[in-house]
């Protein structure tokens, strides 16, 4: 996969800028978090440490903390501003769980592709809507595999290629107006390539509706979710081009509303016991026969 598509500095700037407004735009992330948490109902896991990769302001902490009260919770995010606001202004549920206190979740500014964590130091690695902001998800998945202990679980959500298809179709100027989204099957291949066992992938399409295009853009900005591709337009759009894009989007109006499609990909996989030593020699395991 070619590198250099995503402007990572712009990603960091967008989310830092959105730190103060994030609660007004993150309802979609919270809904996907809720659906991910429901999937944990079918998982038998008792992690000693949970790493929330791309935690933003800690929206997943409540559910994870309630489900695994004995686990240490560590939140990592690229934007320090998100971490500072979450720590400084704990909400009601955070105070109730003790998450705004000194013994609450640890928070660390870090790059998902270079985690400052020891190998085999986490039982659950959780990531909600992060991977599509990376230039290449493969290094982050490899780091997740390294950090997880044997029999540890990676659970993530991200966005697929049909996301914001209406917005892309409305513009015909040759610039990127959304992130580059990767197909669900490619993620499955990446997980296997990183050494994960039994990857499970599924997808659903969610359509949000808006009164006008400005409301969509305002919501994306509030959540830090504006396009951060290097191929985006770096200056202002021309008046005629902008009017043409608005008219093209208006033509998609149905039942008085403008649709915005989101293809949500869910994935989870386990870190199995290694079958090779670091030098490449195979590991052969012998089990003792049961005593009668």
């Amino acid at each position: 996969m070619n590198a250099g598509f995503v402007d990572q500095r712009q990603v960091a700037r967008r989310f830092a800028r959105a730190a103060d407004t994030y609660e007004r735009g993150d309802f979609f992330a919270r809904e996907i978090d809720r659906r991910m948490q429901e999937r944990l109902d079918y998982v038998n896991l008792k992690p000693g440490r949970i790493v929330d990769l791309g935690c933003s302001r800690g929206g997943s902490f409540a559910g994870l903390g309630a489900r695994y009260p004995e686990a240490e919770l560590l939140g990592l995010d690229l934007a320090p501003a998100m971490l500072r606001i979450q720590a400084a202004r704990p909400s009601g549920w955070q105070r109730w769980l003790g998450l705004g206190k000194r013994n609450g979740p640890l928070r660390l500014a870090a790059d998902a592709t270079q985690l400052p964590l020891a190998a085999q130091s986490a039982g659950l690695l959780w990531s909600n809507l992060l991977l599509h902001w990376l230039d290449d998800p493969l290094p982050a998945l490899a780091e997740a595999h390294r950090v997880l202990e044997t029999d540890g679980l990676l659970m993530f959500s991200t966005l697929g290629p049909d996301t914001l298809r209406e917005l892309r179709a409305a513009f015909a100027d040759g610039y990127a107006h959304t992130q580059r989204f990767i197909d669900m099957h490619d993620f499955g291949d990446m997980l296997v390539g990183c050494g994960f066992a039994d990857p499970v992938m599924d997808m659903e399409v969610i359509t949000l509706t808006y009164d006008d295009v400005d409301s969509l853009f305002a919501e994306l900005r509030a959540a830090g979710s504006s396009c951060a591709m290097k191929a985006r337009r770096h200056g202002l759009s021309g008046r005629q081009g902008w009017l043409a894009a608005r008219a093209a989007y208006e033509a998609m109006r149905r039942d008085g509303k403008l649709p915005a499609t989101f293809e949500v990909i869910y994935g989870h996989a386990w870190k199995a016991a290694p079958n090779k030593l670091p030098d490449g020699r195979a590991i052969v395991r012998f089990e003792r026969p049961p005593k009668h």
Side-chain angles (χ1 to χ4, degrees):
M1 191 176 295
N2 294 326
F5 292 105
V6 180
D7 185 343
Q8 293 296 158
R9 292 184 178 180
Q10 182 69 358
V11 172
R13 284 194 294 267
R14 288 275 167 86
F15 280 98
R17 197 176 300 146
D20 284 314
T21 62
Y22 195 64
E23 285 184 338
R24 299 200 297 270
D26 74 336
F27 78 93
F28 183 76
R30 299 284 60 80
E31 175 59 23
I32 301 307
D33 173 77
R34 184 189 66 79
R35 299 184 187 201
M36 285 178 66
Q37 300 262 0
E38 288 180 347
R39 285 165 162 76
L40 288 174
D41 292 342
Y42 307 99
V43 172
N44 183 18
L45 187 70
K46 293 183 179 179
R49 171 187 279 177
I50 301 169
V51 175
D52 183 353
L53 192 56
C55 67
S56 63
R57 290 177 56 169
S60 298
F61 288 172
L64 294 173
R67 186 179 294 271
Y68 305 112
E70 302 301 318
E72 178 187 53
L73 186 54
L74 172 60
L76 283 73
D77 200 272
L78 186 65
M82 285 283 191
L83 302 171
R84 287 195 297 268
I85 287 181
Q86 196 279 329
R89 299 203 306 241
S91 64
W93 57 260
Q94 290 169 323
R95 288 191 293 272
W96 179 68
L97 289 171
L99 301 185
K101 301 176 182 178
R102 294 177 64 184
N103 63 346
L106 302 173
R107 302 169 186 85
L108 186 64
D111 186 335
T113 64
Q114 295 178 312
L115 298 177
L117 302 174
Q120 301 191 63
S121 61
L124 171 61
L125 200 149
W126 177 270
S127 181
N128 181 25
L129 297 178
L130 165 72
L131 294 177
H132 53 276
W133 294 109
L134 304 180
D135 198 69
D136 182 357
L138 188 59
L141 296 176
E143 275 289 83
H145 188 270
R146 179 186 68 81
V147 166
L148 279 172
E149 59 196 29
T150 299
D151 296 326
L153 176 67
L154 166 67
M155 182 170 280
F156 67 89
S157 64
T158 187
L159 297 178
D162 268 350
T163 299
L164 294 174
R165 64 190 182 195
E166 299 88 356
L167 183 59
R168 285 195 301 276
F171 284 91
D173 55 6
Y175 292 96
H177 292 275
T178 71
Q179 290 304 105
R180 177 188 57 127
F181 302 111
I182 296 173
D183 185 79
M184 174 178 71
H185 300 95
D186 292 332
F187 277 108
D189 293 340
M190 290 182 201
L191 290 169
V192 172
C194 290
F196 282 100
D198 304 321
V200 176
M201 308 295 303
D202 65 293
M203 178 270 289
E204 65 176 333
V205 174
I206 298 174
T207 302
L208 304 182
T209 58
Y210 297 87
D211 292 330
D212 49 56
V213 177
D214 293 331
S215 298
L216 168 61
F217 282 134
E219 197 164 274
L220 292 174
R221 283 194 300 271
S225 297
S226 301
C227 178
M229 300 297 291
K230 290 183 178 178
R232 71 190 186 280
R233 182 185 285 275
H234 290 265
L236 296 175
S237 299
R239 175 176 171 80
Q240 293 304 316
W242 176 238
L243 290 176
R246 292 178 74 98
Y249 211 135
E250 275 293 329
M252 304 178 206
R253 189 179 288 275
R254 297 290 181 272
D255 299 322
K257 297 286 186 177
L258 296 180
T261 298
F262 293 84
E263 178 186 334
V264 184
I265 295 171
Y266 304 94
H268 71 264
W270 299 89
K271 180 174 179 177
N275 56 17
K276 288 184 179 181
L277 295 171
D279 61 8
R281 289 179 293 169
I283 297 174
V284 180
R285 294 180 174 84
F286 297 93
E287 295 186 5
R288 293 181 181 272
K291 293 183 179 180
H292 296 286

